[in-house]
Amino acid sequence: MQEAKQDHFYNIGVSYKKADAKTRGKFSLSKENQKALLVSAKEKGFQGVLVLSTCNRTEISGFAQRPCQLIELLCEFSEGTIEEFAKVSNIYTNQEAIQQLFRIGTGLESQILGDYEIVGQLRQSFKMAKTLATTNAYLERLINSVLQASKRVKNETKLSSGTTSVSYAAVQYIIKNLPDYNSKNILVFGLGKMGKHTCKNLAEYTQNKQICLINRTEEKATEFVKEHASIRKALFENLSKEVAKADVLIVSTGADKPTITRTHVAEDKELLILDLSMPENVAKNVSNYKSVTLVNVDELSKITDETLAIRQQEVPLAEAIIETHKSEFNSWLNHRRFTPAITALKKSLETIKNDEINFQKKKIADFDEHQAELLTSRFIQKITTQFVKHLKDEETSVSQSLQVINKVFQS
C-alpha cells in the first residue's frame, strides 16, 4: 500500500456517546494489543496510524484507502465484531477526522466536559506510535497542533477548572450519597492512574482517615503510601478480609476480566462498590446481593455540578482556539500538498518564458529583455495564484492536477 494511494485520513472508533460500558469494553485495547495493532498496521503498509484506548473511547486515526481497513484492524485486536461496531461507531474523514482529534485533545469530547486526563493519554498514544514508527509528517504535525491548542485551552479558559474526572466523580458520589462518609471504611483496589487520582481526591476532598489501599504489585502501594501517610496499605492476599471490613470499595484495577467476584463479598454485607475500570472489573452478579450497591463508570459520569456549568460557558472560547490552530495546520497541509503541483507549473511556465524571450531577442531589434522579464514574471505569478485557488477547492485532486500539467506542458 503506497502513501500516494492513501488519499484519506480517517478517525474510526466507539465512544460513550453511542456505546455503553459493556460494548466499549469489547473494543477496549490493552497496551499489548495497541502495540500489536500498530505493528500489524505497519506490516500491512499503513502510514500515519495512531491508537487511543481509554475507558470512554477506543479510536484509530490514520491513512487508508477505505475506513473498513482500519475497522478490520480494530476488530482483529479487540473482542468486538464488525457488526457490533457498525451499530455504535463513528467514522470521520479528512477535515472531520482532524476536528475530532482537536475536540478530543482539548476535552470537548470527554464524558465529563473538560476532563484533562485525555491529554496525557493522547500524548502517550502518540509516543507509542512514534516508537513503533507508525507516524508520518502529517500525523506528527497534527498531534503537535492539537497539543498546542490543548495547552492554550487549559491556560486561557476555565474549561478544565476544578478537578472533574471519573476519579473525582467517584469521590463526589461518596460525598453526596453517604452522610457520614468521613467515618466510613474505604478500600481502594488498584493503583493505576485512576487509583492514584482517586486516593489523591479522597485526601483532598474528604477528611476520611480510614482509607485502605490494595494493589497486586505490593511495591507500588508501598511507595505510594510513603507519600500519603493518611492511607493504609494492605496485602493483596488479604483482599477478601479487607472487603469484609469496608463500607465502600473502589475498584480501579484495569484488568481484562473481573477482579472482584461474589467470592470476595458476603451476601449480607452492606457495601457500596464504585467500579472505575473499563472493561468493568466487578462481576455483574455481585449486584444481585440486595445489600450491595454497584455503580459503574457510566453512572458516575452522569454526576453534574457547578464546575460543569462553568465549563459549558467556556466551550465557545475553546472552539475559537481550536479554529486558530486548525487553520494553521490546514495552511501547512495545503502548502505541503500544493507544492509539487505549483513547482511543476512554475517550471513549465518558466521554460516557456525563457524560450519566448530568447526567440524575441533574435527577432526584434533593441528588444528590452528586462521589461519582458518583469512582465512575463508577473503573468506567471498571477497564473500560479489562480492555480492555488483552484487547488484549494476540496474537490480538487492534486494528483489529477499534476497529470493535467504534465499532459498540457509535456511538449
Side-chain angles (χ1 to χ4, degrees), residues 31 63 223 244 404:
K31 281 284 185 286
F63 287 89
E223 286 300 312
V404 170

Side-chain angles (χ1 to χ4, degrees), residues 4 34-35 46 76 98 107 147 159 194 200 215 235 250 300 304 311 319 325 331 351 355-356 367 374 401:
Q34 289 177 46
K35 288 177 183 175
F46 291 96
E76 182 183 346
I98 292 167
L147 293 175
L159 189 74
M194 194 76 77
K200 288 174 182 176
N215 191 55
L235 298 175
I250 301 173
L300 286 173
T304 56
R311 291 182 177 195
E319 289 176 337
H325 287 271
S331 294
T351 301
D355 288 346
E356 190 60 29
F367 177 72
L374 287 174
S401 297

Side-chain angles (χ1 to χ4, degrees), residues 371-402:
Q371 284 289 351
E373 182 75 37
L374 287 174
L375 187 64
T376 51
S377 292
R378 280 182 61 81
F379 271 123
I380 289 173
Q381 186 58 46
K382 287 181 178 292
I383 291 168
T384 51
T385 299
Q386 289 299 316
F387 194 68
V388 169
K389 288 180 182 176
H390 157 74
L391 286 175
K392 283 183 178 177
D393 179 353
E394 275 195 24
E395 300 302 313
T396 301
S397 164
V398 175
S399 58
Q400 285 177 345
S401 297
L402 276 169

Side-chain angles (χ1 to χ4, degrees), residues 43-287:
E43 288 172 352
K44 290 175 180 175
F46 291 96
Q47 296 183 28
V49 180
L50 175 78
V51 179
L52 181 65
S53 188
T54 72
C55 62
N56 287 331
R57 67 182 67 252
T58 298
E59 299 187 358
I60 301 176
S61 300
F63 287 89
Q65 293 172 20
R66 300 178 306 282
C68 62
Q69 294 169 309
L70 298 178
I71 295 166
E72 285 166 3
L73 268 178
L74 174 58
C75 293
E76 182 183 346
F77 291 94
S78 69
E79 294 178 7
T81 65
I82 291 174
E83 290 74 24
E84 287 171 316
F85 181 87
K87 292 175 185 174
V88 295
S89 62
N90 289 308
I91 299 173
Y92 300 106
T93 310
N94 296 334
Q95 286 300 313
E96 287 183 350
I98 292 167
Q99 175 77 352
Q100 175 72 352
L101 280 173
F102 270 105
R103 288 184 63 84
I104 287 172
T106 52
L108 289 177
E109 287 295 306
S110 297
Q111 191 162 14
I112 297 176
L113 180 66
D115 185 351
Y116 208 68
E117 285 181 26
I118 189 70
V119 182
Q121 292 162 335
L122 183 61
R123 194 177 277 112
Q124 286 301 313
S125 294
F126 180 68
K127 188 177 178 182
M128 181 189 290
K130 196 160 186 183
T131 301
L132 296 171
T134 65
T135 61
N136 59 6
Y138 180 109
L139 194 60
E140 189 154 340
R141 182 87 178 207
L142 175 56
I143 297 301
N144 283 335
S145 295
V146 169
L147 293 175
Q148 286 169 19
S150 179
K151 188 176 181 180
R152 282 191 60 199
V153 168
K154 174 79 171 173
N155 294 336
E156 297 174 26
T157 77
K158 295 175 184 174
L159 189 74
S160 296
S161 62
T163 311
T164 306
S165 61
V166 171
S167 55
Y168 174 78
V171 176
Q172 288 295 103
Y173 186 95
I174 293 169
I175 291 170
K176 288 178 182 177
N177 290 279
L178 296 178
D180 51 350
Y181 61 88
N182 279 326
S183 61
K184 296 292 185 183
N185 290 320
I186 300 176
L187 173 60
V188 178
F189 179 32
L191 195 59
K193 186 180 288 185
M194 194 76 77
K196 285 180 182 176
H197 283 303
T198 302
C199 288
K200 288 174 182 176
N201 285 329
L202 283 168
E204 185 174 348
Y205 297 105
T206 77
Q207 284 77 50
N208 192 303
K209 303 301 178 189
Q210 300 170 92
I211 301 167
C212 178
L213 171 65
I214 291 180
N215 191 55
R216 190 178 291 271
T217 308
E218 190 185 348
E219 291 80 11
K220 288 184 181 178
T222 302
E223 286 300 312
F224 187 81
V225 295
K226 280 181 184 176
E227 299 172 18
H228 302 83
S230 62
I231 298 174
R232 175 174 67 87
K233 182 198 76 172
L235 298 175
F236 174 68
E237 49 262 39
N238 293 333
L239 178 61
S240 295
K241 184 180 171 184
E242 292 295 336
V243 171
K245 292 183 193 173
D247 300 301
V248 180
L249 170 60
I250 301 173
V251 182
S252 57
T253 41
D256 293 331
K257 294 177 182 178
T259 53
I260 294 293
T261 65
R262 290 178 78 156
T263 60
H264 297 101
V265 183
E267 188 171 354
D268 58 347
K269 166 73 178 173
E270 191 165 322
L271 183 65
L272 168 62
I273 304 178
L274 305 178
D275 187 358
L276 313 189
S277 309
M278 180 57 57
E280 292 165 298
N281 279 188
V282 179
K284 285 283 187 188
N285 60 7
V286 170
S287 63

